[in-house]
């Protein structure tokens, strides 16, 4: 969330930056609310000071034996005015907060102009896309022919956009999770967490999912409890430190978790409905880093390298792009996407987004540290996928498929699996 004073001080510059991401900032409305808030605070201070003064006059006059009837009436009137001022100030503060919660983060000027993935700036390509001497199958055809995927029974259980993995397919998912967590914890220094999959409204607001994206969330509850299924482990991991002051010596914090993720994908009907690319429930290993504001960009680039390591371990061809300002997520000021090559689609598809949020989430969630003078100040947050299991499995199957319908698995996975190949009939094969 923004500091209203910062946006007002930026003025037309804030309007310009937000327009790059398609948001029209009503600066006059923001200024009016901030002015009403400031006036209310000043009026309240004056009323409380006057109320205290009259109370003292009542005590002094009473001790002297004087008539305090009129003074007491004044005191009662002032008390009512104080209460009225507090109620009005609370309403104005809520209106200001509600407005600020809907304003996206200011995009970094480094992000290119544009509003779609076609406007992204390619930064590099790693690995050569495979050139098969046969027509490559997509992961759905491969998985169902092998018998390691069953989308029909998943639909019977839950409806469309769910999946069932079986046999070598389930083992493959488990092995990829283990590899990713080992890479992040043993090589990159992340601390693994097991976190709740249901969180409250305050937690969802802290990372920016609420109030804007409520239609994309699965909501549940028992009795008077209002809970949401997490769309990503970013939500609980980041909010572990909500309303806390993290000592500078402990920064940066590096957190990771493997969780299921739940997304309604509202507005995306008709897109990527086949296979593992866009599901209502999927599994993901997430990375989160919390740091001082001046460390955010450095930490983001470090996290990009960590996500790249995962793709390289899985021997996957990919590219890295910088998203356009208008295509950057609500809470992010700059995002790098890692896109993996999918032979069946003859294109690169997003498999990891790594975002620098600056202090945007820190302000919303109340995550703070201390500056060089010891004063509490909002901390910065960075997060990224490392990696989502569905898309990773799709890429592994498609990029490593063989002419006979089998899949030769990446060397890094074989110790976790106990086999090197999945035969065309889904049988694990040791080599």
């Amino acid at each position: 969330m923004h500091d209203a004073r910062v946006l007002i001080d930026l003025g037309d510059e804030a309007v310009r930056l937000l327009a790059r991401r398609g948001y029209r900032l009503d600066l006059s409305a923001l200024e009016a609310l901030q002015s009403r808030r400031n006036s209310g605070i000043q009026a309240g201070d004056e009323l409380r000071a006057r109320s205290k003064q009259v109370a003292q006059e009542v005590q002094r006059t009473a001790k002297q034996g004087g008539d305090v009837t009129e003074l007491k009436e004044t005191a009662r009137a002032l008390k009512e005015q104080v209460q009225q001022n507090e109620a009005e100030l609370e309403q104005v503060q809520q209106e200001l907060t509600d407005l600020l919660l809907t304003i996206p983060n200011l995009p970094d000027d480094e992000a290119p102009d544009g509003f779609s993935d076609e406007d992204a700036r390619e930064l590099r390509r790693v690995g050569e896309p495979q050139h098969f001497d046969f027509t490559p199958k997509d992961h759905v055809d491969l998985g169902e022919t092998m018998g390691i995927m069953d989308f029909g029974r998943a639909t019977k259980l839950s409806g469309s956009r769910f999946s069932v993995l079986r046999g070598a397919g389930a083992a493959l998912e488990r092995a990829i999770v283990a590899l990713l967590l080992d890479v992040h914890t043993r090589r990159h220094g992340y601390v693994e967490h097991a976190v709740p999959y249901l969180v409250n409204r305050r937690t969802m607001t802290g990372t920016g999912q609420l109030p804007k994206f409520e239609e994309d969330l699965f909501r549940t509850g028992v009795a008077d409890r209002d809970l949401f299924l997490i769309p990503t482990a970013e939500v609980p991991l980041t909010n572990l430190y909500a309303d806390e002051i993290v000592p500078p010596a402990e920064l940066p914090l590096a957190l990771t978790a493997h969780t299921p993720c739940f997304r309604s994908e509202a507005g995306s009907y008709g897109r990527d409905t086949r296979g593992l690319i866009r599901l209502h429930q999927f599994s993901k290993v997430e990375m989160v880093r919390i740091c001082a504001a001046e460390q955010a960009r450095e930490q983001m680039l470090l996290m990009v390298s960590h996500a790249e390591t995962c793709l390289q371990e899985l021997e996957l061809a990919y590219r890295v792009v910088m998203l356009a300002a208008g295509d950057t997520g609500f809470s992010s000021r700059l995002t790098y996407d890692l896109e993996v090559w999918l032979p069946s689609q003859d294109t690169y598809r997003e498999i990891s987004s790594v975002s620098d949020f600056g202090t945007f989430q820190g302000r919303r969630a109340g995550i703070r540290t201390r500056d060089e003078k010891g004063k509490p100040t909002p901390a910065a947050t960075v997060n990224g996928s490392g990696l989502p299991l569905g898309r990773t499995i799709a890429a592994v199957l498609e990029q490593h498929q063989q002419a006979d319908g089998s899949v030769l698995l990446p060397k890094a996975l074989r110790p976790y699996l106990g086999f090197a190949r999945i035969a065309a009939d889904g049988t694990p094969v040791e080599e």
Side-chain angles (χ1 to χ4, degrees), residues 137-173:
K137 296 179 180 179
D138 72 7
H139 67 281
V140 179
D141 289 337
L142 281 166
E144 291 191 328
T145 300
M146 289 176 163
I148 64 174
M149 295 181 187
D150 194 334
F151 293 99
R153 287 190 172 95
T155 299
K156 178 174 66 175
L157 294 174
S158 306
S160 62
R161 295 199 183 185
F162 288 88
S163 67
V164 168
L165 302 180
R166 63 183 298 274
L172 178 60
E173 179 177 76

Short mmCIF file of all heavy atoms in Angstrom, two decimals, residues 137-173:
data_model
loop_
_atom_site.label_atom_id
_atom_site.label_comp_id
_atom_site.label_asym_id
_atom_site.label_seq_id
_atom_site.Cartn_x
_atom_site.Cartn_y
_atom_site.Cartn_z
N LYS A 137 4.72 -34.86 -29.24
CA LYS A 137 3.40 -34.85 -28.62
C LYS A 137 3.35 -33.80 -27.51
O LYS A 137 4.39 -33.44 -26.94
CB LYS A 137 3.08 -36.22 -28.02
CG LYS A 137 2.98 -37.34 -29.03
CD LYS A 137 2.67 -38.65 -28.30
CE LYS A 137 2.55 -39.81 -29.28
NZ LYS A 137 2.27 -41.09 -28.57
N ASP A 138 2.15 -33.34 -27.19
CA ASP A 138 2.03 -32.47 -26.03
C ASP A 138 1.96 -33.34 -24.77
O ASP A 138 1.82 -34.57 -24.84
CB ASP A 138 0.84 -31.52 -26.15
CG ASP A 138 -0.51 -32.17 -25.98
OD1 ASP A 138 -0.58 -33.37 -25.64
OD2 ASP A 138 -1.52 -31.48 -26.20
N HIS A 139 2.10 -32.71 -23.61
CA HIS A 139 2.21 -33.46 -22.36
C HIS A 139 0.95 -34.25 -22.04
O HIS A 139 1.00 -35.29 -21.38
CB HIS A 139 2.57 -32.53 -21.21
CG HIS A 139 1.50 -31.55 -20.84
ND1 HIS A 139 1.29 -30.39 -21.56
CD2 HIS A 139 0.58 -31.56 -19.86
CE1 HIS A 139 0.29 -29.73 -21.02
NE2 HIS A 139 -0.17 -30.41 -19.98
N VAL A 140 -0.20 -33.77 -22.52
CA VAL A 140 -1.45 -34.49 -22.26
C VAL A 140 -1.47 -35.81 -23.01
O VAL A 140 -1.76 -36.88 -22.44
CB VAL A 140 -2.67 -33.63 -22.65
CG1 VAL A 140 -3.96 -34.39 -22.39
CG2 VAL A 140 -2.67 -32.32 -21.87
N ASP A 141 -1.15 -35.76 -24.29
CA ASP A 141 -1.11 -37.00 -25.08
C ASP A 141 -0.07 -37.97 -24.52
O ASP A 141 -0.32 -39.18 -24.42
CB ASP A 141 -0.81 -36.69 -26.54
CG ASP A 141 -1.98 -36.00 -27.24
OD1 ASP A 141 -3.12 -36.15 -26.76
OD2 ASP A 141 -1.74 -35.32 -28.25
N LEU A 142 1.09 -37.44 -24.17
CA LEU A 142 2.13 -38.28 -23.58
C LEU A 142 1.65 -38.92 -22.29
O LEU A 142 1.74 -40.14 -22.10
CB LEU A 142 3.39 -37.45 -23.31
CG LEU A 142 4.31 -37.14 -24.50
CD1 LEU A 142 5.28 -36.04 -24.12
CD2 LEU A 142 5.06 -38.40 -24.94
N GLY A 143 1.15 -38.08 -21.37
CA GLY A 143 0.76 -38.57 -20.05
C GLY A 143 -0.38 -39.54 -20.09
O GLY A 143 -0.38 -40.56 -19.36
N GLU A 144 -1.39 -39.28 -20.92
CA GLU A 144 -2.54 -40.17 -20.97
C GLU A 144 -2.20 -41.47 -21.70
O GLU A 144 -2.68 -42.55 -21.32
CB GLU A 144 -3.72 -39.47 -21.62
CG GLU A 144 -4.28 -38.34 -20.75
CD GLU A 144 -5.59 -37.78 -21.24
OE1 GLU A 144 -5.81 -37.78 -22.48
OE2 GLU A 144 -6.40 -37.35 -20.40
N THR A 145 -1.37 -41.39 -22.74
CA THR A 145 -0.95 -42.62 -23.44
C THR A 145 -0.13 -43.50 -22.52
O THR A 145 -0.27 -44.74 -22.50
CB THR A 145 -0.13 -42.27 -24.70
OG1 THR A 145 -0.93 -41.49 -25.59
CG2 THR A 145 0.34 -43.53 -25.41
N MET A 146 0.74 -42.88 -21.74
CA MET A 146 1.55 -43.64 -20.78
C MET A 146 0.71 -44.18 -19.61
O MET A 146 1.11 -45.12 -18.93
CB MET A 146 2.65 -42.73 -20.20
CG MET A 146 3.76 -42.39 -21.15
SD MET A 146 4.90 -41.24 -20.35
CE MET A 146 6.34 -41.40 -21.41
N GLY A 147 -0.40 -43.52 -19.35
CA GLY A 147 -1.21 -43.91 -18.20
C GLY A 147 -0.77 -43.27 -16.91
O GLY A 147 -1.15 -43.70 -15.81
N ILE A 148 0.04 -42.19 -16.99
CA ILE A 148 0.51 -41.52 -15.78
C ILE A 148 -0.29 -40.25 -15.47
O ILE A 148 -0.06 -39.60 -14.46
CB ILE A 148 2.02 -41.17 -15.88
CG1 ILE A 148 2.27 -40.16 -17.00
CG2 ILE A 148 2.84 -42.43 -16.08
CD1 ILE A 148 3.71 -39.66 -17.06
N MET A 149 -1.26 -39.90 -16.32
CA MET A 149 -2.17 -38.79 -16.09
C MET A 149 -3.59 -39.26 -16.37
O MET A 149 -3.81 -40.07 -17.28
CB MET A 149 -1.85 -37.60 -17.00
CG MET A 149 -0.54 -36.93 -16.76
SD MET A 149 -0.32 -35.52 -17.89
CE MET A 149 1.37 -35.09 -17.50
N ASP A 150 -4.54 -38.72 -15.60
CA ASP A 150 -5.94 -39.10 -15.81
C ASP A 150 -6.82 -37.87 -15.59
O ASP A 150 -7.26 -37.59 -14.47
CB ASP A 150 -6.33 -40.21 -14.84
CG ASP A 150 -7.65 -40.88 -15.22
OD1 ASP A 150 -8.47 -40.21 -15.87
OD2 ASP A 150 -7.86 -42.05 -14.85
N PHE A 151 -7.04 -37.13 -16.66
CA PHE A 151 -7.86 -35.92 -16.56
C PHE A 151 -9.36 -36.26 -16.52
O PHE A 151 -10.15 -35.52 -15.94
CB PHE A 151 -7.56 -34.99 -17.73
CG PHE A 151 -6.17 -34.41 -17.67
CD1 PHE A 151 -5.15 -34.96 -18.44
CD2 PHE A 151 -5.88 -33.35 -16.84
CE1 PHE A 151 -3.86 -34.44 -18.38
CE2 PHE A 151 -4.59 -32.83 -16.77
CZ PHE A 151 -3.58 -33.37 -17.53
N GLY A 152 -9.74 -37.38 -17.11
CA GLY A 152 -11.14 -37.78 -17.09
C GLY A 152 -11.63 -38.04 -15.69
O GLY A 152 -12.70 -37.55 -15.28
N ARG A 153 -10.87 -38.81 -14.91
CA ARG A 153 -11.28 -39.10 -13.53
C ARG A 153 -11.16 -37.86 -12.65
O ARG A 153 -11.92 -37.70 -11.68
CB ARG A 153 -10.47 -40.26 -12.97
CG ARG A 153 -10.88 -41.61 -13.58
CD ARG A 153 -10.23 -42.77 -12.84
NE ARG A 153 -10.77 -44.06 -13.30
CZ ARG A 153 -10.22 -44.82 -14.25
NH1 ARG A 153 -9.12 -44.40 -14.85
NH2 ARG A 153 -10.77 -45.96 -14.59
N ALA A 154 -10.21 -36.98 -12.96
CA ALA A 154 -10.11 -35.72 -12.21
C ALA A 154 -11.38 -34.89 -12.39
O ALA A 154 -11.90 -34.29 -11.44
CB ALA A 154 -8.89 -34.93 -12.66
N THR A 155 -11.88 -34.86 -13.63
CA THR A 155 -13.11 -34.13 -13.91
C THR A 155 -14.28 -34.76 -13.17
O THR A 155 -15.15 -34.04 -12.64
CB THR A 155 -13.39 -34.12 -15.43
OG1 THR A 155 -12.30 -33.47 -16.09
CG2 THR A 155 -14.69 -33.38 -15.73
N LYS A 156 -14.31 -36.08 -13.09
CA LYS A 156 -15.37 -36.76 -12.34
C LYS A 156 -15.34 -36.36 -10.87
O LYS A 156 -16.39 -36.16 -10.25
CB LYS A 156 -15.20 -38.28 -12.47
CG LYS A 156 -16.23 -39.08 -11.69
CD LYS A 156 -16.10 -40.57 -11.97
CE LYS A 156 -14.79 -41.15 -11.47
NZ LYS A 156 -14.73 -42.62 -11.65
N LEU A 157 -14.16 -36.22 -10.33
CA LEU A 157 -14.02 -35.87 -8.91
C LEU A 157 -14.36 -34.41 -8.62
O LEU A 157 -15.05 -34.10 -7.64
CB LEU A 157 -12.59 -36.13 -8.45
CG LEU A 157 -12.10 -37.57 -8.42
CD1 LEU A 157 -10.63 -37.61 -8.07
CD2 LEU A 157 -12.92 -38.39 -7.43
N SER A 158 -13.89 -33.51 -9.49
CA SER A 158 -13.92 -32.09 -9.13
C SER A 158 -14.40 -31.15 -10.22
O SER A 158 -14.56 -29.96 -9.98
CB SER A 158 -12.52 -31.64 -8.69
OG SER A 158 -12.01 -32.47 -7.67
N GLY A 159 -14.56 -31.64 -11.43
CA GLY A 159 -14.91 -30.77 -12.55
C GLY A 159 -13.68 -30.47 -13.38
O GLY A 159 -12.61 -31.06 -13.21
N SER A 160 -13.84 -29.52 -14.31
CA SER A 160 -12.74 -29.21 -15.21
C SER A 160 -11.61 -28.49 -14.49
O SER A 160 -11.78 -27.92 -13.42
CB SER A 160 -13.25 -28.33 -16.36
OG SER A 160 -13.73 -27.10 -15.86
N ARG A 161 -10.44 -28.55 -15.12
CA ARG A 161 -9.22 -27.89 -14.63
C ARG A 161 -8.70 -28.47 -13.33
O ARG A 161 -8.27 -27.75 -12.43
CB ARG A 161 -9.43 -26.38 -14.52
CG ARG A 161 -9.68 -25.72 -15.88
CD ARG A 161 -9.41 -24.24 -15.82
NE ARG A 161 -9.72 -23.62 -17.09
CZ ARG A 161 -9.49 -22.36 -17.37
NH1 ARG A 161 -8.97 -21.56 -16.46
NH2 ARG A 161 -9.77 -21.86 -18.54
N PHE A 162 -8.79 -29.76 -13.22
CA PHE A 162 -8.13 -30.50 -12.14
C PHE A 162 -7.38 -31.66 -12.79
O PHE A 162 -7.66 -32.04 -13.93
CB PHE A 162 -9.13 -31.01 -11.10
CG PHE A 162 -9.70 -29.92 -10.25
CD1 PHE A 162 -10.84 -29.24 -10.65
CD2 PHE A 162 -9.11 -29.56 -9.04
CE1 PHE A 162 -11.38 -28.22 -9.88
CE2 PHE A 162 -9.64 -28.55 -8.26
CZ PHE A 162 -10.77 -27.88 -8.68
N SER A 163 -6.42 -32.24 -12.06
CA SER A 163 -5.62 -33.32 -12.64
C SER A 163 -5.43 -34.43 -11.63
O SER A 163 -5.49 -34.21 -10.41
CB SER A 163 -4.26 -32.78 -13.10
OG SER A 163 -3.49 -32.38 -11.98
N VAL A 164 -5.18 -35.60 -12.15
CA VAL A 164 -4.76 -36.75 -11.36
C VAL A 164 -3.48 -37.30 -11.98
O VAL A 164 -3.43 -37.55 -13.19
CB VAL A 164 -5.84 -37.86 -11.33
CG1 VAL A 164 -5.26 -39.15 -10.75
CG2 VAL A 164 -7.04 -37.41 -10.51
N LEU A 165 -2.45 -37.46 -11.19
CA LEU A 165 -1.21 -38.11 -11.62
C LEU A 165 -1.15 -39.46 -10.94
O LEU A 165 -1.52 -39.60 -9.77
CB LEU A 165 0.01 -37.28 -11.26
CG LEU A 165 0.07 -35.85 -11.83
CD1 LEU A 165 1.35 -35.15 -11.37
CD2 LEU A 165 0.00 -35.87 -13.34
N ARG A 166 -0.64 -40.45 -11.64
CA ARG A 166 -0.58 -41.79 -11.06
C ARG A 166 0.74 -42.46 -11.44
O ARG A 166 1.40 -42.07 -12.42
CB ARG A 166 -1.76 -42.65 -11.51
CG ARG A 166 -1.81 -42.91 -13.00
CD ARG A 166 -3.07 -43.71 -13.39
NE ARG A 166 -3.11 -45.02 -12.79
CZ ARG A 166 -2.53 -46.10 -13.30
NH1 ARG A 166 -1.85 -46.00 -14.45
NH2 ARG A 166 -2.62 -47.27 -12.72
N GLY A 167 1.12 -43.43 -10.64
CA GLY A 167 2.33 -44.21 -10.94
C GLY A 167 3.55 -43.34 -11.10
O GLY A 167 3.89 -42.53 -10.23
N ALA A 168 4.24 -43.50 -12.23
CA ALA A 168 5.46 -42.74 -12.48
C ALA A 168 5.20 -41.23 -12.54
O ALA A 168 6.09 -40.43 -12.26
CB ALA A 168 6.12 -43.22 -13.78
N GLY A 169 3.96 -40.83 -12.90
CA GLY A 169 3.63 -39.41 -12.93
C GLY A 169 3.63 -38.81 -11.54
O GLY A 169 4.17 -37.73 -11.31
N ALA A 170 3.01 -39.51 -10.58
CA ALA A 170 3.01 -39.03 -9.19
C ALA A 170 4.41 -39.05 -8.62
O ALA A 170 4.80 -38.14 -7.88
CB ALA A 170 2.06 -39.89 -8.36
N ALA A 171 5.17 -40.09 -8.95
CA ALA A 171 6.55 -40.16 -8.47
C ALA A 171 7.39 -39.02 -9.04
O ALA A 171 8.26 -38.47 -8.36
CB ALA A 171 7.16 -41.51 -8.85
N LEU A 172 7.13 -38.67 -10.31
CA LEU A 172 7.86 -37.58 -10.94
C LEU A 172 7.59 -36.27 -10.21
O LEU A 172 8.52 -35.49 -9.95
CB LEU A 172 7.45 -37.47 -12.41
CG LEU A 172 8.08 -36.34 -13.22
CD1 LEU A 172 9.60 -36.46 -13.24
CD2 LEU A 172 7.52 -36.33 -14.65
N GLU A 173 6.33 -36.00 -9.88
CA GLU A 173 6.02 -34.78 -9.15
C GLU A 173 6.74 -34.75 -7.80
O GLU A 173 7.34 -33.73 -7.42
CB GLU A 173 4.51 -34.64 -8.93
CG GLU A 173 4.15 -33.38 -8.14
CD GLU A 173 2.66 -33.18 -7.99
OE1 GLU A 173 2.04 -33.89 -7.16
OE2 GLU A 173 2.11 -32.31 -8.70
#
